[in-house]
Amino acid sequence: QKEVEQNSGPLSVPEGAIASLNCTYSDRGSQSFFWYRQYSGKSPELIMFIYSNGDKEDGRFTAQLNKASQYVSLLIRDSQPSDSATYLCAVNNGRDSSYKLIFGSGTRLLVRP
Amino acid sequence: NAGVTQTPKFQVLKTGQSMTLQCAQDMNHNSMYWYRQDPGMGLRLIYYSASEGTTDKGEVPNGYNVSRLNKREFSLRLESAAPSQTSVYFCASSETGSNQPQHFGDGTRLSIL
């Protein structure tokens, strides 16, 4: 079992719809969760982070965390073609005191005009 | 705002050649990281430096060495390049603490023939 799992996609949604991206993790000691966006040929860019159970909203983005279910998600409202990218979920390594992150393989999102 | 700067951006090597990838950050971050990204594999940690003067192995350290030259600079060296090391290499940095996000450079695209 991978430590951080994401559906590789592609997830295809029409412009204006809500895109829902999901991530599960195996380490119950993980405390910090990050979502990065990566355009093709570019570097990962931080878009959201969440530490507590529940929802955290930032503009069109909402991160949701459920530690009991070991599940974190990213919702993108009013999806735009410019949101088409790969979204990486990253989780801190809860088993030691280092600051390492473990990344999922990413979900590719396609927003159709 | 320069952030994290990586050089070179592209490089082609022959098997057995050596080279050093350079990384510098101007955000006064304590921690720095080197990742490689291969298709379908996500980001894999090669080495990291939690603070100036310390370095530790990540998930895939074989064939690489690192040097934390000072607080700003963290270099990655391939002593004898192999075709399996063809990849995109990203350097990242972060503040101290498990809840701190990592910020990435633009990457180095390395091909080994």
Side-chain angles (χ1 to χ4, degrees):
Chain A
Q1 181 189 6
K2 290 183 180 179
E3 294 184 80
V4 178
E5 294 211 49
Q6 297 181 256
N7 189 316
S8 61
L11 172 65
S12 182
V13 301
E15 183 173 355
I18 296 175
S20 177
L21 304 163
N22 304 315
C23 173
T24 58
Y25 60 96
S26 61
D27 185 354
R28 286 194 172 274
S30 297
Q31 298 293 324
S32 306
F33 307 87
F34 305 88
W35 282 100
Y36 286 83
R37 177 176 62 199
Q38 187 174 25
Y39 292 113
S40 181
K42 301 297 185 182
S43 61
E45 171 193 11
L46 178 73
I47 53 172
M48 289 284 292
F49 58 88
I50 187 167
Y51 309 136
S52 303
N53 276 330
D55 294 0
K56 179 182 179 181
E57 187 174 319
D58 184 1
R60 295 188 296 114
F61 299 98
T62 299
Q64 299 176 317
L65 176 61
N66 184 328
K67 290 186 179 180
S69 299
Q70 295 174 247
Y71 179 95
V72 58
S73 64
L74 179 70
L75 302 178
I76 306 175
R77 290 182 300 281
D78 188 23
S79 295
Q80 301 297 310
S82 58
D83 295 325
S84 297
T86 296
Y87 289 80
L88 304 173
C89 172
V91 177
N92 85 305
N93 185 337
R95 283 168 287 152
D96 60 40
S97 59
S98 75
Y99 314 127
K100 294 183 287 187
L101 295 180
I102 301 169
F103 284 82
S105 298
T107 298
R108 185 173 165 221
L109 173 65
L110 296 175
V111 180
R112 307 187 305 272
Chain B
N1 291 339
V4 179
T5 302
Q6 292 184 237
T7 55
K9 295 191 184 306
F10 302 93
Q11 186 71 48
V12 179
L13 293 178
K14 294 181 179 178
T15 297
Q17 287 186 317
S18 62
M19 81 160 295
T20 300
L21 308 185
Q22 306 287 352
C23 175
Q25 52 92 8
D26 63 1
M27 295 177 283
N28 202 34
H29 287 167
N30 283 316
S31 301
M32 298 185 73
Y33 314 82
W34 276 106
Y35 293 90
R36 61 178 289 174
Q37 188 175 38
D38 303 295
M41 300 288 290
L43 288 160
R44 293 185 291 169
L45 184 64
I46 305 171
Y47 271 93
Y48 69 101
S49 172
S51 61
E52 186 179 356
T54 68
T55 61
D56 286 285
K57 296 179 180 179
E59 181 185 355
V60 288
N62 291 345
Y64 305 95
N65 284 302
V66 290
S67 295
R68 183 73 183 265
L69 304 171
N70 48 54
K71 189 172 184 178
R72 290 186 64 247
E73 299 173 287
F74 188 37
S75 62
L76 178 72
R77 182 162 178 83
L78 287 72
E79 291 290 353
S80 179
S84 61
Q85 294 177 305
T86 293
S87 189
V88 181
Y89 291 85
F90 288 104
C91 177
S93 69
S94 72
E95 293 281 8
T96 300
S98 61
N99 62 345
Q100 297 299 319
Q102 295 178 14
H103 302 272
F104 287 81
D106 290 339
T108 295
R109 283 144 186 84
L110 181 61
S111 293
I112 299 161
L113 306 177

Short mmCIF file of all heavy atoms in Angstrom, two decimals, chain B residues 6-51:
data_model
loop_
_atom_site.label_atom_id
_atom_site.label_comp_id
_atom_site.label_asym_id
_atom_site.label_seq_id
_atom_site.Cartn_x
_atom_site.Cartn_y
_atom_site.Cartn_z
N GLN B 6 17.37 27.22 -9.27
CA GLN B 6 18.12 26.01 -9.65
C GLN B 6 18.87 26.25 -10.95
O GLN B 6 18.37 26.88 -11.87
CB GLN B 6 17.17 24.83 -9.86
CG GLN B 6 16.50 24.33 -8.62
CD GLN B 6 15.65 23.10 -8.90
OE1 GLN B 6 14.46 23.09 -8.63
NE2 GLN B 6 16.27 22.05 -9.43
N THR B 7 20.10 25.74 -10.98
CA THR B 7 20.88 25.77 -12.22
C THR B 7 21.60 24.45 -12.40
O THR B 7 22.01 23.82 -11.42
CB THR B 7 21.94 26.91 -12.19
OG1 THR B 7 22.75 26.75 -11.03
CG2 THR B 7 21.28 28.27 -12.21
N PRO B 8 21.76 23.96 -13.66
CA PRO B 8 21.16 24.52 -14.87
C PRO B 8 19.70 24.14 -14.99
O PRO B 8 19.19 23.36 -14.19
CB PRO B 8 22.00 23.86 -15.97
CG PRO B 8 22.31 22.50 -15.41
CD PRO B 8 22.51 22.72 -13.94
N LYS B 9 19.00 24.63 -16.01
CA LYS B 9 17.62 24.24 -16.26
C LYS B 9 17.53 22.97 -17.10
O LYS B 9 16.58 22.19 -16.96
CB LYS B 9 16.87 25.38 -16.95
CG LYS B 9 16.73 26.62 -16.10
CD LYS B 9 15.77 27.60 -16.70
CE LYS B 9 15.70 28.89 -15.89
NZ LYS B 9 15.41 28.65 -14.47
N PHE B 10 18.49 22.76 -17.96
CA PHE B 10 18.54 21.57 -18.81
C PHE B 10 19.99 21.08 -18.87
O PHE B 10 20.91 21.88 -18.84
CB PHE B 10 18.08 21.87 -20.24
CG PHE B 10 16.69 22.42 -20.35
CD1 PHE B 10 16.48 23.79 -20.37
CD2 PHE B 10 15.60 21.57 -20.43
CE1 PHE B 10 15.21 24.30 -20.46
CE2 PHE B 10 14.32 22.08 -20.53
CZ PHE B 10 14.12 23.45 -20.54
N GLN B 11 20.15 19.77 -18.97
CA GLN B 11 21.49 19.21 -19.11
C GLN B 11 21.41 17.84 -19.76
O GLN B 11 20.52 17.05 -19.41
CB GLN B 11 22.18 19.10 -17.75
CG GLN B 11 23.64 18.65 -17.81
CD GLN B 11 24.55 19.71 -18.40
OE1 GLN B 11 24.50 20.87 -18.01
NE2 GLN B 11 25.38 19.30 -19.34
N VAL B 12 22.32 17.59 -20.67
CA VAL B 12 22.45 16.26 -21.27
C VAL B 12 23.84 15.74 -20.92
O VAL B 12 24.83 16.43 -21.13
CB VAL B 12 22.26 16.28 -22.80
CG1 VAL B 12 22.44 14.88 -23.37
CG2 VAL B 12 20.88 16.83 -23.16
N LEU B 13 23.90 14.55 -20.37
CA LEU B 13 25.17 13.93 -19.99
C LEU B 13 25.32 12.59 -20.68
O LEU B 13 24.33 11.97 -21.09
CB LEU B 13 25.22 13.68 -18.48
CG LEU B 13 25.25 14.86 -17.53
CD1 LEU B 13 25.26 14.34 -16.09
CD2 LEU B 13 26.48 15.71 -17.77
N LYS B 14 26.56 12.15 -20.76
CA LYS B 14 26.83 10.78 -21.20
C LYS B 14 26.99 9.90 -19.97
O LYS B 14 27.42 10.37 -18.89
CB LYS B 14 28.08 10.73 -22.05
CG LYS B 14 27.95 11.48 -23.38
CD LYS B 14 29.23 11.36 -24.19
CE LYS B 14 29.09 12.09 -25.52
NZ LYS B 14 30.34 12.02 -26.32
N THR B 15 26.67 8.64 -20.11
CA THR B 15 26.84 7.68 -19.01
C THR B 15 28.26 7.75 -18.48
O THR B 15 29.23 7.75 -19.25
CB THR B 15 26.53 6.26 -19.50
OG1 THR B 15 25.16 6.21 -19.91
CG2 THR B 15 26.76 5.24 -18.41
N GLY B 16 28.37 7.84 -17.14
CA GLY B 16 29.67 7.88 -16.51
C GLY B 16 30.19 9.28 -16.20
O GLY B 16 31.11 9.43 -15.38
N GLN B 17 29.60 10.30 -16.82
CA GLN B 17 30.01 11.66 -16.53
C GLN B 17 29.48 12.08 -15.16
O GLN B 17 28.52 11.50 -14.63
CB GLN B 17 29.50 12.62 -17.60
CG GLN B 17 30.23 12.50 -18.92
CD GLN B 17 29.79 13.55 -19.92
OE1 GLN B 17 28.59 13.84 -20.08
NE2 GLN B 17 30.75 14.14 -20.62
N SER B 18 30.11 13.10 -14.61
CA SER B 18 29.65 13.62 -13.32
C SER B 18 29.16 15.05 -13.50
O SER B 18 29.54 15.73 -14.47
CB SER B 18 30.78 13.58 -12.30
OG SER B 18 31.85 14.41 -12.73
N MET B 19 28.30 15.48 -12.62
CA MET B 19 27.88 16.86 -12.62
C MET B 19 27.24 17.22 -11.29
O MET B 19 26.83 16.33 -10.52
CB MET B 19 26.93 17.17 -13.76
CG MET B 19 25.49 16.80 -13.53
SD MET B 19 24.39 17.71 -14.66
CE MET B 19 24.63 19.40 -14.12
N THR B 20 27.16 18.51 -11.03
CA THR B 20 26.55 19.03 -9.81
C THR B 20 25.40 19.95 -10.17
O THR B 20 25.55 20.84 -11.00
CB THR B 20 27.59 19.80 -8.97
OG1 THR B 20 28.65 18.92 -8.60
CG2 THR B 20 26.94 20.35 -7.71
N LEU B 21 24.26 19.68 -9.56
CA LEU B 21 23.10 20.56 -9.69
C LEU B 21 23.12 21.54 -8.52
O LEU B 21 23.30 21.14 -7.36
CB LEU B 21 21.80 19.76 -9.66
CG LEU B 21 21.67 18.58 -10.63
CD1 LEU B 21 20.28 17.98 -10.55
CD2 LEU B 21 22.02 19.00 -12.03
N GLN B 22 22.92 22.81 -8.87
CA GLN B 22 23.00 23.84 -7.85
C GLN B 22 21.61 24.33 -7.45
O GLN B 22 20.70 24.38 -8.27
CB GLN B 22 23.81 25.04 -8.39
CG GLN B 22 25.18 24.71 -8.91
CD GLN B 22 26.17 24.38 -7.81
OE1 GLN B 22 25.89 24.52 -6.62
NE2 GLN B 22 27.36 23.92 -8.21
N CYS B 23 21.47 24.67 -6.17
CA CYS B 23 20.21 25.20 -5.66
C CYS B 23 20.52 26.28 -4.63
O CYS B 23 21.37 26.06 -3.74
CB CYS B 23 19.39 24.09 -5.02
SG CYS B 23 17.87 24.68 -4.22
N ALA B 24 19.83 27.41 -4.73
CA ALA B 24 19.99 28.48 -3.75
C ALA B 24 18.63 29.08 -3.44
O ALA B 24 17.79 29.23 -4.33
CB ALA B 24 20.93 29.57 -4.28
N GLN B 25 18.42 29.40 -2.16
CA GLN B 25 17.15 30.03 -1.76
C GLN B 25 17.44 31.32 -1.01
O GLN B 25 18.42 31.42 -0.28
CB GLN B 25 16.29 29.06 -0.92
CG GLN B 25 16.98 28.43 0.27
CD GLN B 25 16.84 29.17 1.57
OE1 GLN B 25 16.07 30.14 1.67
NE2 GLN B 25 17.56 28.74 2.60
N ASP B 26 16.55 32.30 -1.20
CA ASP B 26 16.75 33.60 -0.57
C ASP B 26 15.65 33.90 0.44
O ASP B 26 15.38 35.08 0.74
CB ASP B 26 16.83 34.70 -1.63
CG ASP B 26 15.56 34.84 -2.43
OD1 ASP B 26 14.58 34.11 -2.16
OD2 ASP B 26 15.54 35.68 -3.35
N MET B 27 15.00 32.88 0.98
CA MET B 27 13.90 33.05 1.93
C MET B 27 14.33 32.81 3.37
O MET B 27 13.49 32.75 4.27
CB MET B 27 12.76 32.09 1.54
CG MET B 27 12.15 32.44 0.18
SD MET B 27 10.88 31.29 -0.35
CE MET B 27 11.88 29.92 -0.90
N ASN B 28 15.62 32.63 3.58
CA ASN B 28 16.17 32.41 4.92
C ASN B 28 15.60 31.13 5.57
O ASN B 28 15.44 31.07 6.80
CB ASN B 28 15.93 33.61 5.84
CG ASN B 28 16.90 33.64 7.00
OD1 ASN B 28 18.06 33.25 6.88
ND2 ASN B 28 16.43 34.09 8.16
N HIS B 29 15.29 30.14 4.74
CA HIS B 29 14.76 28.88 5.25
C HIS B 29 15.87 28.00 5.81
O HIS B 29 16.98 27.98 5.28
CB HIS B 29 14.04 28.12 4.13
CG HIS B 29 12.73 28.72 3.77
ND1 HIS B 29 12.05 28.36 2.61
CD2 HIS B 29 11.95 29.63 4.39
CE1 HIS B 29 10.91 29.03 2.57
NE2 HIS B 29 10.84 29.81 3.63
N ASN B 30 15.54 27.26 6.86
CA ASN B 30 16.52 26.35 7.43
C ASN B 30 16.62 25.03 6.67
O ASN B 30 17.69 24.44 6.58
CB ASN B 30 16.16 26.03 8.89
CG ASN B 30 16.53 27.18 9.81
OD1 ASN B 30 17.61 27.74 9.71
ND2 ASN B 30 15.63 27.51 10.72
N SER B 31 15.49 24.54 6.18
CA SER B 31 15.45 23.20 5.59
C SER B 31 15.43 23.26 4.07
O SER B 31 14.76 24.10 3.48
CB SER B 31 14.21 22.45 6.09
OG SER B 31 14.22 22.36 7.50
N MET B 32 16.17 22.32 3.47
CA MET B 32 16.22 22.23 2.02
C MET B 32 16.15 20.77 1.59
O MET B 32 16.55 19.87 2.35
CB MET B 32 17.49 22.90 1.47
CG MET B 32 17.55 24.40 1.79
SD MET B 32 18.94 25.25 1.06
CE MET B 32 18.46 25.30 -0.68
N TYR B 33 15.67 20.53 0.37
CA TYR B 33 15.37 19.18 -0.09
C TYR B 33 15.71 19.04 -1.58
O TYR B 33 15.61 19.99 -2.33
CB TYR B 33 13.86 18.90 0.06
CG TYR B 33 13.27 19.31 1.38
CD1 TYR B 33 12.89 20.62 1.61
CD2 TYR B 33 13.10 18.38 2.41
CE1 TYR B 33 12.36 21.02 2.83
CE2 TYR B 33 12.57 18.77 3.63
CZ TYR B 33 12.20 20.09 3.83
OH TYR B 33 11.67 20.47 5.04
N TRP B 34 16.06 17.82 -1.96
CA TRP B 34 16.20 17.46 -3.37
C TRP B 34 15.26 16.30 -3.67
O TRP B 34 15.25 15.29 -2.97
CB TRP B 34 17.63 17.02 -3.70
CG TRP B 34 18.54 18.15 -4.01
CD1 TRP B 34 19.52 18.67 -3.22
CD2 TRP B 34 18.58 18.92 -5.21
NE1 TRP B 34 20.16 19.71 -3.85
CE2 TRP B 34 19.59 19.88 -5.08
CE3 TRP B 34 17.84 18.89 -6.41
CZ2 TRP B 34 19.90 20.80 -6.07
CZ3 TRP B 34 18.14 19.80 -7.39
CH2 TRP B 34 19.16 20.75 -7.24
N TYR B 35 14.46 16.48 -4.75
CA TYR B 35 13.53 15.46 -5.22
C TYR B 35 13.85 15.13 -6.69
O TYR B 35 14.39 15.95 -7.41
CB TYR B 35 12.09 15.96 -5.20
CG TYR B 35 11.50 16.22 -3.85
CD1 TYR B 35 11.61 17.47 -3.25
CD2 TYR B 35 10.80 15.23 -3.17
CE1 TYR B 35 11.04 17.73 -2.01
CE2 TYR B 35 10.23 15.47 -1.93
CZ TYR B 35 10.35 16.73 -1.36
OH TYR B 35 9.78 16.97 -0.13
N ARG B 36 13.42 13.95 -7.09
CA ARG B 36 13.35 13.64 -8.50
C ARG B 36 11.90 13.27 -8.83
O ARG B 36 11.17 12.76 -7.98
CB ARG B 36 14.30 12.50 -8.91
CG ARG B 36 14.08 11.18 -8.24
CD ARG B 36 15.06 10.12 -8.77
NE ARG B 36 14.76 9.72 -10.14
CZ ARG B 36 15.52 8.91 -10.87
NH1 ARG B 36 16.64 8.41 -10.37
NH2 ARG B 36 15.17 8.60 -12.10
N GLN B 37 11.51 13.61 -10.06
CA GLN B 37 10.15 13.32 -10.49
C GLN B 37 10.19 12.58 -11.81
O GLN B 37 10.71 13.09 -12.80
CB GLN B 37 9.32 14.60 -10.63
CG GLN B 37 7.84 14.33 -10.90
CD GLN B 37 7.01 15.60 -10.90
OE1 GLN B 37 7.44 16.65 -11.38
NE2 GLN B 37 5.80 15.52 -10.35
N ASP B 38 9.64 11.38 -11.81
CA ASP B 38 9.57 10.54 -12.99
C ASP B 38 8.10 10.31 -13.32
O ASP B 38 7.25 10.30 -12.43
CB ASP B 38 10.27 9.20 -12.74
CG ASP B 38 11.71 9.39 -12.33
OD1 ASP B 38 12.48 9.90 -13.16
OD2 ASP B 38 12.07 9.07 -11.18
N PRO B 39 7.77 10.10 -14.59
CA PRO B 39 6.37 9.90 -14.99
C PRO B 39 5.71 8.79 -14.18
O PRO B 39 6.25 7.69 -14.06
CB PRO B 39 6.49 9.52 -16.47
CG PRO B 39 7.76 10.15 -16.91
CD PRO B 39 8.69 10.06 -15.74
N GLY B 40 4.55 9.10 -13.60
CA GLY B 40 3.78 8.12 -12.85
C GLY B 40 4.33 7.79 -11.47
O GLY B 40 3.75 6.98 -10.75
N MET B 41 5.45 8.41 -11.09
CA MET B 41 6.09 8.07 -9.81
C MET B 41 5.95 9.16 -8.78
O MET B 41 6.28 8.95 -7.63
CB MET B 41 7.59 7.80 -10.03
CG MET B 41 7.87 6.66 -10.98
SD MET B 41 7.49 5.07 -10.27
CE MET B 41 8.79 4.92 -9.07
N GLY B 42 5.46 10.32 -9.15
CA GLY B 42 5.37 11.40 -8.19
C GLY B 42 6.75 11.93 -7.82
O GLY B 42 7.75 11.62 -8.46
N LEU B 43 6.80 12.70 -6.77
CA LEU B 43 8.05 13.27 -6.27
C LEU B 43 8.67 12.32 -5.25
O LEU B 43 8.02 11.93 -4.29
CB LEU B 43 7.79 14.62 -5.60
CG LEU B 43 7.46 15.78 -6.54
CD1 LEU B 43 6.76 16.89 -5.77
CD2 LEU B 43 8.73 16.30 -7.17
N ARG B 44 9.92 11.98 -5.45
CA ARG B 44 10.61 11.11 -4.51
C ARG B 44 11.80 11.85 -3.92
O ARG B 44 12.60 12.43 -4.65
CB ARG B 44 11.05 9.82 -5.21
CG ARG B 44 9.88 8.94 -5.64
CD ARG B 44 10.38 7.61 -6.21
NE ARG B 44 11.05 7.79 -7.48
CZ ARG B 44 11.74 6.85 -8.09
NH1 ARG B 44 11.88 5.65 -7.53
NH2 ARG B 44 12.31 7.09 -9.26
N LEU B 45 11.92 11.81 -2.61
CA LEU B 45 12.95 12.54 -1.90
C LEU B 45 14.29 11.83 -2.04
O LEU B 45 14.42 10.64 -1.73
CB LEU B 45 12.57 12.67 -0.43
CG LEU B 45 13.49 13.49 0.46
CD1 LEU B 45 13.50 14.96 0.02
CD2 LEU B 45 13.05 13.38 1.92
N ILE B 46 15.31 12.57 -2.47
CA ILE B 46 16.65 12.01 -2.63
C ILE B 46 17.46 12.23 -1.36
O ILE B 46 17.94 11.29 -0.73
CB ILE B 46 17.37 12.64 -3.83
CG1 ILE B 46 16.53 12.50 -5.11
CG2 ILE B 46 18.74 11.99 -4.03
CD1 ILE B 46 17.09 13.30 -6.28
N TYR B 47 17.62 13.49 -0.98
CA TYR B 47 18.32 13.89 0.23
C TYR B 47 17.63 15.14 0.78
O TYR B 47 16.97 15.86 0.04
CB TYR B 47 19.78 14.25 -0.07
CG TYR B 47 20.77 13.12 0.01
CD1 TYR B 47 21.10 12.38 -1.12
CD2 TYR B 47 21.40 12.80 1.22
CE1 TYR B 47 22.02 11.35 -1.05
CE2 TYR B 47 22.33 11.76 1.29
CZ TYR B 47 22.62 11.04 0.14
OH TYR B 47 23.55 10.01 0.22
N TYR B 48 17.83 15.37 2.05
CA TYR B 48 17.35 16.60 2.63
C TYR B 48 18.33 17.10 3.67
O TYR B 48 19.19 16.35 4.16
CB TYR B 48 15.94 16.44 3.22
CG TYR B 48 15.85 15.56 4.44
CD1 TYR B 48 15.76 16.11 5.72
CD2 TYR B 48 15.83 14.18 4.32
CE1 TYR B 48 15.66 15.31 6.84
CE2 TYR B 48 15.74 13.36 5.43
CZ TYR B 48 15.65 13.93 6.69
OH TYR B 48 15.57 13.12 7.79
N SER B 49 18.17 18.38 4.00
CA SER B 49 19.01 19.02 5.01
C SER B 49 18.07 19.79 5.94
O SER B 49 17.49 20.79 5.55
CB SER B 49 20.00 19.97 4.34
OG SER B 49 20.69 20.74 5.30
N ALA B 50 17.90 19.29 7.15
CA ALA B 50 16.97 19.92 8.09
C ALA B 50 17.48 21.29 8.53
O ALA B 50 16.70 22.18 8.84
CB ALA B 50 16.73 19.02 9.29
N SER B 51 18.80 21.43 8.58
CA SER B 51 19.39 22.71 8.96
C SER B 51 20.82 22.75 8.42
O SER B 51 21.38 21.73 8.02
CB SER B 51 19.37 22.89 10.47
OG SER B 51 20.13 21.88 11.09
#
